[in-house]
Every structure is written in structure tokens, then in C-alpha cells.
Amino acid sequence: MTMNSLKEELNILKGKNRYRSFKTVEKISGPIVRINGKKLINFASNNYLGLAHRFSVRWAALRATWQFGTGAGASRLVSGHTVFHEALEDALAKFKGVEAVLLYPTGYMANLGAISTLIGPDDLIILDRFNHASIIEAAQLSRAKIWVYPHRDVKRLEEILKKAESQNFKNKWVITETLFSMDGDIAPLKEILNLCQKYNAHLMIDEAHATGVLGKTGKGALEHFSINPREVDVVMGTLSKALGSLGGFIGGKRETIDYLRNKSKSFIYTTALPAGVCASALKALEMIQGKNSPLQFLRKNTEYFFEGLKKRGLESSGEFTPIIPIIIGDDRATLAVEDFLKEQGTFAPAIRPPTVPEGKGRIRLSLMASHTQKHLDQVLEIIGKIKKDEHTSASAA
Ligand code: PMP
């Protein structure tokens, strides 16, 4: 690609309202951010439990950073890992109910590493159409055959699994997010697991958004559905969302994890997470499981928000989760709604294709445990105004 064609492509993006740029956050104070000198209530963060800003989580990061320094210096296999890496992997394995866990520097790299290492060119990968970009890219990297089923459509999934029986795939894998990042709905995991068992397929789940959010005690979708984690082959999760930190992990059988430690390129050939990052995630895990778990506040806020929608005649067709998409449709209108939200004192991102399907541009609201009812009332009022506006055909989805 020449430099001229880069410019042309960027201009095309601008013309289509698909150009992406940064907003500089000048200050964060819990759920309040300051952008361009204006204080806004933050509905743009996946820090669902508010843990990234809790004193004890920050303090844990500071202490470990002081002890071990800001950077890990090299890959864990080269320069060793700290007690915090080890303790975090053990705590995550216990939390998720799996035999063992391996940390990666990001969730994106966890998906890339696990999928491209465990799955090969003789295999079949079956994906939900709305799976995250990291899963899709990882599937391509594995060089396996990729088939896709419509979002949460178990009937189509079964047809695909049936069709695959007559072909000579070495292994079949079904990979799905559990709590979908842009739609806030939940994969029908019991049905998917039953199909995997019936058709002898492996199951991998991406719990990036479910970890710390779904299930009675925040363990994720398997707890939500009362599924034994040992029935699922690979469980992926992130530290970067409800755990308020950075990083990703893969959980599974001890042998699977040992194999990834030895073979997975995005684990071996990259520098380890700094100790402070691991220490903060460890503290966050402890707080989720503690007496005053922030999960109860996230649940209360979710309930309050959904009741508020109902009260205002804005029935939600989405599920009872803290990710709330407001479908707008057209890209320009979606950006206009984002600006309107900012004018009214709230920050929630416009999500446009290719992150979501064509014509399904949306505002993605995410609720946090640290929002107050006043914050929620404010955004509910604004959604009500958007709904009434004839120019945007917005509806709470
Ligand atoms: N999987 C899903 C479903 C995600 O939404 C994301 C991030 N948005 C990732 C994986 C990647 O995680 P990370 O941000 O930790 O790289």
C-alpha cells in the first residue's frame, strides 16, 4: 500500500463517518471523567465494578510496583515471574473452577495465543457471528476451516455440526463469547454445551465481559448457568474489565495450560505483565469475593436502570446485564447522539461498523458499581429525549 492510498483510505473513512480519533481524558474521579474541561458521567468504561479506582486496588498496585519495579524486563520464561504472577494464576484458577490458568499481557493476546496454538489447519472452528475481533483473527491465524452461525442461533449451530460430521475434520471447536461485548446479551451456553457433547466438538468460551459480572458470585457465565467448568475445554477471561487492571488469561486442564506455556507464541515471545498489574488484579479478585463485594452494587444499579427504562416506556429487548446498546442505525446519527450525550453531561461511545454490523450503529452504555442513582437518572432522562427525537429513530435495544 502506498502512502497516497493510505491518505485516500483515511479520507474515505472520514467521508463515511467511520474515521476514529481519540478523546483525551484529563482527569478521572471514579465514574466522572473530564474531557475538554467538561465533567462527564462515564458510561464508556468496562470497569464494571469500579475496582480500577478503589483505594485498596491502587494501593496493591503501588506496593508491588515499588517492590518489583514498573516493568517485568522480559518474558516470564526468560527472567522468571514474581510471586504476584503465581498467586494471581492460582487465584484465577480457583475462581473460575479450572485446573490451571496462564496469564497473557492482554485478552486479545490470550485469544490469539490459545486459538492459534490449540487449533490447526485440519480442524474446524465454528463461531458466533458477533464474536470479538480477537477470536476471528485468532481463528484465521490457526488456518483451520471457519464456519459461522447467526448470533446465538443454536438451531443453525446444530445444522453446521451435523454437516461437519460428514467431513474429515480432525477436531471441531465451537467458540463463543458468553456475555457479548456490544449487545449485552448472553450466549445460550447450556444448549451450546449439549450440542458440543452430542457432536463431539470442543468448546471454548470468551468470558472477557462475564468475569466478575455474571453468576451469583461473579464467577462468570458457567456459574450463571450452573455448568461445571470442567465440562468446557478452554475458558478465556480478561483482567482488563471488571477486574480493573490489564491482561488476559486462559484456563483449562493442567495439560492444556502446560502446552500453551510451551508453545503459545503470544505468551512466550512477549514481556510479562508488570507485578503491579498482577497485584491489583489479585486484590480486585479478593474484593469481588469479599463481604462487601462491589457486585451487589452493580446488580442494584442494573436493576435500577432497567426499572428506569420501563418507567419511561423504554422497554429493553436486551438482557439484564450492565451492557446496554442503544441502536441508532446510521453512522452519522450515531455520532450525533454521542455528541448530544456529551452536551448533556454524559460520556458513552458511538460504536460503528465494522465493530458492529452495517446499519446497526449504536451507543454502548456500560453501567458501573460506582454510578449513583443520580447518575443513572441523568442518563435515563437523556435516553428518553433521544427516543422522542424524530431525527434519530433511536430505541433502547
Ligand atoms: N474478548 C472480548 C469479547 C472483548 O470484548 C475484548 C476487549 N474488548 C477482548 C477479548 C480483548 O481483551 P483485552 O482488552 O484485555 O485485550
Side-chain angles (χ1 to χ4, degrees), residues 46-266:
N46 297 325
N47 172 28
Y48 302 111
L49 296 173
L51 287 168
H53 303 114
R54 289 289 291 271
F55 176 84
S56 49
V57 176
R58 290 173 172 196
W59 186 241
L62 278 173
R63 279 178 56 148
T65 303
W66 186 251
Q67 227 179 324
F68 286 99
T70 49
S75 149
R76 285 165 69 186
L77 294 168
V78 172
S79 62
H81 65 199
T82 71
V83 286
F84 289 109
H85 293 82
E86 204 166 297
L88 178 58
E89 285 181 342
D90 288 348
L92 282 169
K94 219 181 247 170
F95 186 63
K96 298 298 273 185
V98 293
E99 282 180 18
V101 152
L102 186 66
L103 288 171
Y104 285 76
T106 68
Y108 201 108
M109 289 168 82
N111 271 336
L112 274 194
I115 296 170
S116 69
T117 307
L118 297 174
I119 309 178
D122 300 329
D123 298 335
L124 170 68
I125 301 181
I126 309 173
L127 301 176
D128 184 291
R129 189 163 89 84
F130 285 3
N131 273 340
H132 188 256
S134 57
I135 300 175
I136 297 163
E137 188 161 44
Q140 287 162 348
L141 193 62
S142 76
R143 292 186 289 136
K145 185 100 187 155
I146 302 168
W147 289 347
V148 175
Y149 60 96
H151 184 47
R152 297 166 79 224
D153 187 341
V154 281
K155 214 169 137 227
R156 277 293 293 139
L157 173 60
E158 177 154 28
E159 283 166 16
I160 288 175
L161 282 163
K162 240 184 225 159
K163 183 174 146 199
E165 275 192 318
S166 61
Q167 305 200 18
N168 242 356
F169 295 112
K170 198 165 159 200
N171 293 291
K172 298 182 284 277
W173 283 82
V174 175
I175 307 178
T176 182
E177 284 181 45
T178 51
L179 173 51
F180 282 87
S181 62
M182 293 298 144
D183 290 80
D185 51 3
I186 304 171
L189 216 49
K190 273 201 166 154
E191 289 88 338
I192 292 175
L193 178 64
N194 284 341
L195 287 176
C196 287
Q197 288 171 344
K198 183 172 169 190
Y199 291 94
N200 198 23
H202 299 289
L203 177 60
M204 172 171 173
I205 56 174
D206 177 327
E207 294 254 90
H209 295 269
T211 302
V213 171
L214 291 186
K216 195 162 174 269
T217 63
K219 290 187 167 69
L222 298 176
E223 184 182 32
H224 176 84
F225 286 112
S226 304
I227 295 172
N228 182 345
R230 311 276 162 131
E231 293 195 78
V232 174
D233 296 281
V234 177
V235 176
M236 175 271 181
T238 57
L239 312 177
S240 52
K241 298 173 175 39
L243 295 180
S245 185
L246 173 73
F249 63 89
I250 297 293
K253 288 205 170 64
R254 207 168 292 285
E255 207 171 62
T256 309
I257 298 309
D258 206 17
Y259 187 78
L260 290 175
R261 186 177 17 242
N262 280 279
K263 290 277 201 179
S264 159
K265 292 194 177 107
S266 64

Side-chain angles (χ1 to χ4, degrees), residues 29-48:
S29 175
I32 305 295
V33 290
R34 198 177 72 199
I35 296 174
N36 285 335
K38 188 168 175 170
K39 277 189 187 171
L40 303 168
I41 310 163
N42 191 4
F43 289 97
S45 173
N46 297 325
N47 172 28
Y48 302 111

